[in-house]
Amino acid sequence: MASKDVSTDPLNDLSARRDQAVHAAVTQGLVGPDAPVAGLLDVTGVRSSAASLRAAFDAVTAPGTEVLHAFAVKATPLVPVLRLLHEAGIGAEVASPGELALARAAGVPPTRTVLDSPAKTGAELREALALGIAVNADNPQELARIDALVASAPTASPLGLRVNPQIGAGSIGALSTATATSKFGVALRDEGARAWVVRAYLDRPWLTRLHTHSGSQGVPLELMAQGVRAAYELAEEINEAAGRQQIDTLDIGGGLPVNFASDEETPDYATYAKLLAATVPGLFDGRYGLVTEFGRSLLAKHGTILALVEYAKKSGGRPIAVTHAGVQVATRTVYAPASWPLRIAAYDAQGRRKTGPAVAQDVAGPACFAGDLLAENHALPLLEAGDYAAALDTGAYYFAQHYSYNSLVRPGVYGFGADDGPDGGVRFATVRAPQTVEEIVAESGGDHRGALVDL
């Protein structure tokens, strides 16, 4: 399993804040023998990413353009995170009733919420239209459901259709949403599809948005921009056929890849926005409102999973650090390590960064199967029992995508920021409390223990 070395460059702000937070988490008892794994979220970093996103698009859009940056809730579905982003000017893109409930609990208003999903139920659609939430239909059958709902009751919801430009895949096939056979949207290059889309808009004056999402981890920026250009060209065609600007907003999705090789935040939003402006200049001339749906790129760099090394052993001559972080928190890394390698940093028992010669070793998780490894044959200062292994860049798709293998508890997640006190330390806030074993019993049918024997 490949894993990447932590940068040896001088500490930048991000890594310095992380090192301070790890030390504080250990000394303040957020992680230790009684709580052997925890997630740490850099609030300063999250705010910085949100500001960078807004500034990047402000720099290329005409003054007065309506722009909604909607965070893809699936990336980190935690209410305090959504609230933090809302306060930073970021809305919510939701793809299930649960995600919508989280966004509403965080205080994100319907006017700053977008509903996307390839399998929306009738009940979901009714709720969204009643609240005035923007909805992107995925397919003709769903559009027919919306037809009936719009005919039965007025709605303030902006309504659109998702199209698949079929531009090809990136390096991770499972995350490539714009392939020839993708399950998402109306496939534009299929026979008769483009003409059907144009007619669908002409028949529905209330259909005013067009949506595409061509990017994700492993997709080059140039390919993402091609997908946006395809949607823009289709919008221009529809508006020309309508004889008016029927489509007034383009939802260009998200999918900016994240650099998992170092602390450098590249590619950045400014680079992507400039590429879009060069590739699709008409997108930014003020005629169209814009919606984006970034997720991973807003949160990934600002999260760390910190795990106690319970035991240190050897097998076949190779050192193995057995920790409490594995498949339950890093499911993608464990099952697809080539696509999702994580950087690992070594900290001592006091939470200080370890130094010393790099030793090839495995960093293993607690689950009962051989492949439960955060890193295999990875060179870093030798981890010993009582030390801590930190999985970096885990702020998105790691904190909340818990995999209940071996009924392992969900770890606590804590946001951190600078303490304003005279010592200039680190202050933590609970984002999600650690799960208890009693909660595991309850959600595993503990209240129905005799249900089967009584049949």
Side-chain angles (χ1 to χ4, degrees), residues 192-286:
R194 191 180 190 95
W196 179 87
V197 170
V198 174
R199 175 46 55 188
Y201 276 84
L202 297 182
D203 290 344
R204 298 167 176 83
W206 43 263
L207 209 54
T208 60
R209 290 190 172 189
L210 188 65
H211 175 225
T212 192
H213 173 77
S214 302
S216 198
Q217 191 67 22
V219 177
L221 298 191
E222 293 75 15
L223 198 62
M224 293 169 59
Q226 287 180 33
V228 174
R229 182 172 61 191
Y232 168 80
E233 291 172 349
L234 178 59
E236 293 281 274
E237 180 181 341
I238 291 167
N239 286 341
E240 183 177 358
R244 64 187 182 90
Q245 182 147 4
Q246 178 174 338
I247 296 177
D248 59 24
T249 300
L250 287 170
D251 184 333
I252 63 173
L256 190 74
V258 169
N259 163 37
F260 286 98
S262 73
D263 279 336
E264 186 179 2
E265 296 186 62
T266 181
D268 59 19
Y269 294 117
T271 298
Y272 183 46
K274 290 174 183 175
L275 175 62
L276 285 175
T279 306
V280 200
L283 182 65
F284 300 103
D285 64 11

Side-chain angles (χ1 to χ4, degrees), residues 21 30 39-44 80-81 84 302 399 412-418 426-432:
L30 291 183
L40 307 179
L41 181 68
D42 181 354
V43 172
T44 299
V81 171
L84 173 66
H302 309 305
F399 283 174
V413 177
Y414 305 93
F416 65 86
V426 176
R427 185 161 51 98
F428 291 98
T430 300
V431 174
R432 183 188 67 205

Side-chain angles (χ1 to χ4, degrees), residues 93-324:
E93 184 267 338
V94 301
S96 72
E99 289 184 359
L100 175 56
L102 295 177
R104 296 189 70 191
V108 182
T111 54
R112 299 186 60 78
T113 305
V114 180
L115 173 62
D116 296 317
S117 163
K120 304 179 197 73
T121 66
E124 282 182 80
L125 292 170
R126 281 191 295 274
E127 179 183 22
L129 268 58
L131 291 171
I133 289 168
V135 177
N136 292 312
D138 180 81
N139 56 70
Q141 295 168 66
E142 184 182 338
L143 191 55
R145 286 185 177 182
I146 294 175
D147 283 339
L149 292 170
V150 169
S152 66
T155 178
S157 292
L159 300 171
L161 181 67
R162 178 170 183 167
V163 296
N164 170 16
Q166 296 174 293
I167 55 173
S171 61
I172 305 175
L175 268 65
S176 297
T177 58
T179 61
T181 57
S182 171
K183 73 178 186 179
F184 293 104
V186 177
L188 276 184
R189 297 183 183 181
D190 282 13
E191 184 177 356
R194 191 180 190 95
W196 179 87
V197 170
V198 174
R199 175 46 55 188
Y201 276 84
L202 297 182
D203 290 344
R204 298 167 176 83
W206 43 263
L207 209 54
T208 60
R209 290 190 172 189
L210 188 65
H211 175 225
T212 192
H213 173 77
S214 302
S216 198
Q217 191 67 22
V219 177
L221 298 191
E222 293 75 15
L223 198 62
M224 293 169 59
Q226 287 180 33
V228 174
R229 182 172 61 191
Y232 168 80
E233 291 172 349
L234 178 59
E236 293 281 274
E237 180 181 341
I238 291 167
N239 286 341
E240 183 177 358
R244 64 187 182 90
Q245 182 147 4
Q246 178 174 338
I247 296 177
D248 59 24
T249 300
L250 287 170
D251 184 333
I252 63 173
L256 190 74
V258 169
N259 163 37
F260 286 98
S262 73
D263 279 336
E264 186 179 2
E265 296 186 62
T266 181
D268 59 19
Y269 294 117
T271 298
Y272 183 46
K274 290 174 183 175
L275 175 62
L276 285 175
T279 306
V280 200
L283 182 65
F284 300 103
D285 64 11
R287 291 178 297 126
Y288 290 100
L290 292 175
V291 177
T292 71
E293 300 173 353
F294 296 101
R296 180 182 293 105
S297 55
L298 277 165
L299 266 293
K301 283 291 176 190
H302 309 305
T304 301
I305 292 176
L306 187 63
L308 178 70
V309 177
E310 192 70 47
Y311 301 108
K313 55 193 283 189
K314 283 188 177 182
S315 185
R318 182 187 296 170
I320 302 172
V322 181
T323 79
H324 290 272

Side-chain angles (χ1 to χ4, degrees), residues 1 3 37 260 304-307 323-344 363-367 369 371-375 390-405 408-411 432:
M1 180 187 304
S3 192
V37 60
F260 286 98
T304 301
I305 292 176
L306 187 63
T323 79
H324 290 272
V327 72
Q328 87 278 26
V329 292
T331 313
R332 286 179 172 175
T333 294
V334 169
Y335 285 127
S339 296
W340 300 102
L342 285 175
R343 295 185 294 144
I344 307 296
V363 181
F369 70 99
D372 186 29
L373 302 170
L374 288 182
L392 311 186
D393 308 325
T394 48
Y397 295 101
Y398 287 87
F399 283 174
Q401 313 299 333
H402 187 76
Y403 180 38
S404 299
Y405 200 100
L408 294 163
V409 297
R410 287 190 299 272
R432 183 188 67 205

